[in-house]
Amino acid sequence: MPADIERYAEVLSFSPIGCLLIERGVIRRANSEAIETMGIPGDRLLGVPLAELLVPEYEQACLDMLERAAAGVEPGTKSEPVRLARGLAPMELLARGMDGDLVMVGVRSMANEHYYSSQAGGALTHDTVTGFPDHYHVLSQLHERLGAPHRKPLALMCLWVDELPELADTYGKRAVHRVMREAGERIQERLRGPDVLGRFDDAGFLVMMSSDSTPEQLTEIAERLRAEVAFPVELDRGLVSFTASVVVGSITTQRPSIERILALLEAAANRAATSGGNRTDYLSI
């Protein structure tokens, strides 16, 4: 182990915040505050590339941050908001280049900020177009429900607007935003108090429902909602027409991982897209 890593490792032990010592993207040292903040045992941090601990879409941003810090391209400290793959925890990383390939990375939990943002419907947790919880916030709530000690019946429903790219080409981005806002409001009007609605992706919404309904009942609910959501939307004294696809399923005693649920929903979205959309499916979760 190079001597300079050991020298800077002593600095980590005196830091009041979570700190990692990174060499060429790989974690070489972590203080106790970083271990506690990230919720990952120390022996599972050392020797692991930092980017691999993040949700995939944040990996490249992390690598770029480390590269810039090591090269001294940006003076001072550069911060980057990320999500850990473990529990989708929101974090802020602050990188500063040291000697050679060494980078010191501060680790700060954004959980409190995200909590207060969610209470206020703020920008950290909510989609700016529809005003509903964004992709990661709704998945974080799903993760909490899946891990709750007192598990209640839970059903998931995901609904997509089928022709969103075509709408964008024909009417422009303003029409897309109008359609998605209207679709979200139509879904929200049919939900009960405990149900949670959030933006799943560019074209879709995810609904968490406290429900022990049968597959037949859930399919009937989903079919009825799909028809209501796909009603034409007014725009510039005209009507924008579109169809929708929906998939619904129950989660009972067997609690799947977030990764499995996402894979199933993505597969359902692909089936709807390749079959022309305008369909309702029941998902075995």
Side-chain angles (χ1 to χ4, degrees):
M1 186 71 68
D4 49 1
I5 289 184
E6 294 298 341
R7 176 162 56 90
Y8 285 115
E10 186 174 354
V11 176
L12 262 66
S13 65
F14 292 105
S15 175
I17 66 170
C19 280
L20 304 171
L21 193 60
I22 309 290
E23 182 184 33
R24 298 178 184 175
V26 177
I27 301 172
R28 296 303 183 189
R29 290 289 186 273
N31 65 6
S32 58
E33 288 78 9
I35 293 171
E36 181 178 356
T37 298
M38 299 177 75
I40 302 175
D43 58 354
R44 297 184 184 179
L45 285 176
L46 301 186
V48 177
L50 175 59
E52 292 185 4
L53 299 176
L54 309 180
V55 170
E57 70 179 75
Y58 292 101
E59 289 183 4
Q60 190 58 52
C62 175
L63 293 173
D64 293 342
M65 175 193 71
L66 295 176
E67 183 178 355
R68 292 193 303 266
V73 174
E74 296 169 334
T77 301
K78 173 65 177 177
S79 64
E80 192 72 43
V82 300
R83 287 267 185 174
L84 292 180
R86 183 187 179 96
L88 305 174
M91 296 282 165
E92 183 181 55
L93 304 180
L94 302 96
R96 180 185 292 273
M98 309 304 283
D99 292 338
D101 296 319
L102 292 180
V103 176
M104 190 83 74
V105 176
V107 181
R108 186 168 77 95
S109 171
M110 296 291 288
N112 285 338
E113 286 83 349
H114 277 245
Y115 171 76
Y116 290 117
S117 178
S118 68
Q119 295 296 101
L124 287 178
T125 59
H126 283 57
D127 173 53
T128 57
V129 172
T130 65
F132 293 114
D134 64 17
H135 176 77
Y136 281 112
H137 187 54
V138 74
L139 288 182
S140 295
Q141 293 186 63
L142 175 58
H143 178 77
E144 291 180 6
R145 291 198 180 191
L146 292 176
H150 303 292
R151 297 174 177 177
K152 299 180 180 179
L154 179 65
L156 296 181
M157 180 165 56
C158 203
L159 185 146
W160 295 272
V161 174
D162 292 321
E163 302 92 348
L164 212 61
E166 290 81 357
L167 292 179
D169 291 340
T170 304
Y171 301 101
K173 185 179 293 185
R174 187 169 67 92
V176 169
H177 290 176
R178 177 63 184 274
V179 166
M180 293 306 292
R181 282 195 296 269
E182 185 71 24
E185 290 170 2
R186 291 173 182 177
I187 297 171
Q188 183 69 63
E189 288 174 357
R190 296 295 180 264
L191 300 183
R192 301 165 302 174
D195 299 335
V196 176
L197 167 65
R199 189 83 181 259
F200 181 70
D201 55 24
D202 289 343
F205 297 91
L206 180 64
V207 181
M208 289 183 288
M209 302 179 292
S210 298
S211 174
D212 57 359
S213 300
T214 66
E216 293 75 18
Q217 291 171 329
L218 286 174
T219 302
E220 182 180 348
I221 293 170
E223 177 68 18
R224 185 166 59 248
L225 184 59
R226 182 179 66 82
E228 293 179 4
V229 166
F231 196 79
V233 170
E234 292 185 11
L235 180 72
D236 298 333
R237 299 183 181 179
L239 293 176
V240 176
S241 298
F242 56 93
T243 61
S245 292
V246 63
V247 61
V248 65
S250 293
I251 300 176
T252 53
T253 54
Q254 297 297 323
R255 297 283 163 154
S257 65
I258 288 288
E259 291 77 15
R260 172 170 168 76
I261 291 173
L262 287 176
L264 290 172
L265 292 177
E266 289 171 3
N270 290 334
R271 286 195 300 272
T274 56
S275 65
N278 197 28
R279 57 184 288 166
T280 301
D281 290 325
Y282 183 82
L283 192 65
S284 297
I285 301 176

